[in-house]
Amino acid sequence: MRGMLEQIVTLALGNVVTTAVEVKRKTIGGVIATLFFLTAYVALVMALAFYVAAQAGPVAAALVVAAAAMAAALVVLAVVAVLNRRTEQRMLERQAALAAQQPDPVTAGLMSELPGMMKASPIVTTIMVASFVYVLTRSRGFGRGPRV
């Protein structure tokens, strides 16, 4: 039993190190790219201000740049609100569909026993549930395949 448990843990945690390295690399790259994008944005805003200042004066330039920034911010807020609303509607539809489905008797029995198992031995129960989910995802082809 102990050997099988060790193998399951090894299989489940095998890609943690490579995933951590990938996340670290992507984070550093994202920070550097963000700095360059911010530099380009500031240069664009300054160029717009200089252009409008040459045409209409410094006060008008400041007002035009502020108005453009406010308009862009309002557009972004509107788009985010619409996307959040769509996501909320999809989540409610998904919850309604899941509530309409009747689970099979085995799953219903396991779900009713799970709180008692968690109180009795939370670590073993967590490992068991994680192993069960891992086996199900591998057997049904969900997720990524094994790395080569």
Side-chain angles (χ1 to χ4, degrees):
M1 179 70 179
R2 183 175 175 198
M4 185 174 81
L5 191 61
E6 288 175 358
Q7 288 179 353
I8 290 173
V9 170
T10 303
L11 284 173
L13 300 178
N15 294 331
V16 171
V17 174
T18 57
T19 304
V21 170
E22 289 174 6
V23 168
K24 184 178 172 183
R25 187 179 305 128
K26 287 179 182 180
T27 303
I28 291 171
V31 167
I32 292 170
T34 301
L35 287 174
F36 284 125
F37 282 127
L38 285 174
T39 303
Y41 174 74
V42 168
L44 177 68
V45 169
M46 288 179 61
L48 175 66
F50 289 149
Y51 176 75
V52 174
Q55 302 295 324
V59 174
L63 290 174
V64 167
V65 170
M70 284 292 262
L74 290 174
V75 168
V76 168
L77 288 176
V79 168
V80 169
V82 167
L83 292 176
N84 285 342
R85 179 69 180 165
R86 280 190 195 165
T87 303
E88 184 180 348
Q89 287 176 344
R90 286 182 189 151
M91 184 183 66
L92 291 174
E93 290 172 0
R94 203 174 302 133
Q95 286 176 350
L98 286 174
Q101 292 178 350
Q102 294 294 330
D104 61 338
V106 174
T107 305
L110 284 174
M111 292 304 288
S112 66
E113 294 293 324
L114 192 60
M117 291 169 50
M118 286 299 288
K119 283 183 180 178
S121 179
I123 294 174
V124 173
T125 306
T126 304
I127 291 172
M128 182 191 68
V129 170
S131 302
F132 183 66
V133 169
Y134 178 78
V135 168
L136 280 178
T137 56
R138 288 297 182 173
S139 67
R140 296 183 185 246
F142 295 120
R144 294 189 301 188
R147 291 187 179 196
V148 179

